[in-house]
Amino acid sequence: MNIWVTRHGQTDLNKKRLMQGRTDMPLNETGIAQAKAARRAIGDIRFDAVYASHLDRAVTTASIIGNVPKEQVMIDDRIIETDFGKYEKAPYDRMGIAMSLYWALPEIFPAPKTVETIRSMTSRSAAFLKELESMSYENVLVVCHGGIIRALCGYLEDRRNGIHWRPKPKNCEIRVFESKEGNHTFLKKYESTI
């Protein structure tokens, strides 16, 4: 099975450099263009299944890149964005020291109160991927968010700490992994040209 993992396209909160966790913001015009560019970049690939969180920005991106109607996108809340708690919609450069240190180096600094932990992120993403790997898909698209994609990729890269934190995933950047008999191989990366 090839698992295509991507982050949603840009929203206005992304553009303003604000923490966007579970706030349900739609894609802006740039985000729609990024998703369309990503679809063009991958050519005529057909996905056996297209997954997304229930947030509109993920569902819309999944519909465009997956080339399916929104109604055919399979919703799974295990791939919803990280819960940023009281830091939701905070400017990146004014989150305070505890959140700034955690978000820069989660391997060292613990999640501040009200913020989802790395353990929670890796647990739910691993549960989702293990279930996905039990299916008989050839190509599957998973559209998620900038925080949780770090745990999904950590699992698919078999990282001991369960995360691939840096560099930050770009909007509509697609990472393709092969999953075969419990082993994972990174195959390719596509970046949006928008």
Side-chain angles (χ1 to χ4, degrees):
M1 174 188 304
N2 290 335
I3 303 174
W4 302 60
V5 181
T6 188
R7 182 181 174 204
H8 62 80
Q10 187 188 78
T11 69
D12 286 344
L13 289 181
N14 294 147
K15 186 176 181 179
K16 294 175 183 174
R17 299 182 49 76
L18 300 176
M19 294 297 284
Q20 180 181 220
R22 299 187 176 178
T23 300
D24 200 1
M25 289 288 294
L27 298 181
N28 60 22
E29 288 183 21
T30 299
I32 292 170
Q34 288 169 332
K36 289 178 178 178
R39 178 63 213 185
R40 286 191 300 274
I42 63 174
D44 60 359
I45 186 80
R46 183 188 166 280
F47 294 104
D48 301 305
V50 177
Y51 286 85
S53 80
H54 76 268
L55 298 175
D56 185 73
R57 62 190 185 267
V59 175
T60 301
T61 303
S63 174
I64 294 169
I65 296 177
N67 198 30
V68 297
K70 282 187 176 183
E71 299 76 34
Q72 289 182 20
V73 175
M74 292 188 277
I75 304 301
D76 196 306
D77 280 334
R78 291 174 292 182
I79 56 175
I80 197 169
E81 179 58 300
T82 306
D83 186 347
F84 295 133
K86 68 179 184 179
Y87 300 94
E88 184 76 10
K89 297 186 183 177
Y92 292 167
D93 58 356
R94 288 186 297 202
M95 295 187 296
I97 192 151
M99 184 61 172
S100 294
L101 288 173
Y102 166 67
W103 206 242
L105 295 166
E107 304 93 335
I108 300 171
F109 297 99
K113 288 182 181 179
T114 77
V115 176
E116 185 176 9
T117 65
I118 295 296
R119 177 174 288 173
S120 171
M121 292 167 59
T122 56
S123 174
R124 63 184 171 95
S125 59
F128 167 76
L129 287 167
K130 285 176 183 174
E131 184 177 308
L132 185 66
E133 289 173 313
S134 71
M135 309 290 188
S136 58
Y137 301 134
E138 184 176 337
N139 285 290
V140 60
L141 177 66
V142 177
V143 180
C144 57
H145 308 271
I148 195 63
I149 197 172
R150 296 164 173 178
L152 291 165
C153 290
Y155 175 92
L156 291 168
E157 293 172 10
D158 302 310
R159 295 199 175 206
R160 290 183 66 195
N161 67 359
I163 54 174
H164 175 150
W165 207 256
R166 292 167 292 278
K168 172 184 169 182
K170 298 174 183 171
N171 293 108
C172 292
E173 173 185 308
I174 303 172
R175 299 174 187 175
V176 187
F177 298 89
E178 180 186 54
S179 173
K180 188 174 183 181
E181 298 175 2
N183 296 307
H184 306 113
T185 305
F186 173 76
L187 299 178
K188 189 170 186 174
K189 179 166 78 171
Y190 297 87
E191 290 190 26
S192 176
T193 55
I194 304 295

